[in-house]
Amino acid sequence: MSDRQISRRNMLVGTSATLLAAPLTSPATAEPFSIDSISNWIKTRGGFDEEPRRGDITGSVAPTNAPAAPQPQYQRPADTYEPQPVPGQRPPLESPIDYPIEKVSPASIKPQFRRQLVRYSGREWPGTIVVDTRKRQLFHVREGGMAMRYGIGVGRAGFTWAGEAYIARKARWPRWTPPAEMVARDPKAAKWPLGMPGGPKNPLGARALYLFDLTGRDTLYRIHGTNDPSSIGKNLSSGCIRMLNQDIAELHLRVTLKSRVVVLNHRAG
């Protein structure tokens, strides 16, 4: 191996050391994940000493001695429960406009609900999303015993389900279709029986992750943004799992389709 070549092990060890050396008492300042940026970094230093395996569900380079990622027998996802758009009648599933996201100052969010890199000692594979509805926190598990922690707001629907799912669809500035019972009782929802176009005023916020069970059935639960930052860290009367728009946008970039989601079951204890 030449002096310019870098082994995969050395690169991973160096990365882990950098993470562990970083202070964990302040909010994380993660950059959007980019396979291209990693590839360019490697090429400028001579490349890998062997062909890398991509064995985990995040698509990141895994150590050669890492156990194989679990591979559940996914079925083809069913169509989402929302009817598909009809020209001239329903808004598109995603807004054609990528609106700028208005950043919320971390100072306005309680420390335990700010985005922050923390240590993770659980059993979940890197790439898994773990939702703790009781603590109103969401964890995106990373390599090296770390996780990115986010604050969430949990609606009534978010407390009624626990278990395992996977991400079957990702949407940017998604359409929101209020349930029929909400249309009947809420004058604001009554204006959108065919769906509210995605945008800054939409209750689903900047991004949404759609959770399906392992049979390919839509659970009807979503991890999504919010146009009400004050709802983070609170229990809400409606909705599923809310995140700050800037946080769900960062998570939306990092997760892949079929990423595993675990919602902790606090009712079992």
Side-chain angles (χ1 to χ4, degrees), residues 65 87 98 108 158 173 175:
N65 62 347
D98 188 8
S108 65
W173 296 107
R175 177 181 74 201

Side-chain angles (χ1 to χ4, degrees), residues 41-201:
W41 186 90
I42 294 169
K43 289 177 182 178
T44 59
R45 289 158 174 79
F48 285 120
D49 58 338
E50 58 180 278
E51 183 65 21
R53 288 192 304 113
R54 298 192 179 277
D56 67 33
I57 59 176
T58 64
S60 60
V61 178
T64 55
N65 62 347
Q71 297 294 328
Q73 298 299 312
Y74 295 110
Q75 297 183 13
R76 180 182 177 86
D79 288 338
T80 180
Y81 80 103
E82 295 180 340
Q84 296 301 299
V86 177
Q89 295 186 25
R90 292 177 63 81
L93 290 172
E94 294 183 311
S95 171
I97 303 172
D98 188 8
Y99 297 93
I101 294 176
E102 184 175 349
K103 298 292 182 69
V104 176
S105 170
S108 65
I109 304 297
K110 292 182 178 180
Q112 67 267 35
F113 303 125
R114 297 172 189 168
R115 184 170 72 197
Q116 183 176 353
L117 190 65
V118 298
R119 298 186 185 278
Y120 176 76
S121 58
R123 63 180 184 178
E124 304 302 341
W125 185 263
T128 303
I129 293 173
V130 180
V131 180
D132 189 331
T133 54
R134 178 180 293 171
K135 292 184 178 180
R136 297 177 297 284
Q137 294 175 333
L138 179 151
F139 300 84
H140 185 216
V141 183
R142 297 193 178 179
E143 302 276 0
M146 308 297 288
M148 186 63 76
R149 187 191 71 194
Y150 304 86
I152 59 176
V154 183
R156 185 176 359 180
F159 279 110
T160 60
W161 180 81
E164 299 183 20
Y166 72 98
I167 298 172
R169 186 161 74 89
K170 301 164 56 176
R172 183 185 66 182
W173 296 107
R175 177 181 74 201
W176 172 61
T177 303
E181 59 271 19
M182 182 179 288
V183 171
R185 63 179 167 78
D186 187 339
K188 293 182 179 179
K191 296 189 297 184
W192 307 108
L194 297 179
M196 182 180 183
K201 295 183 179 180

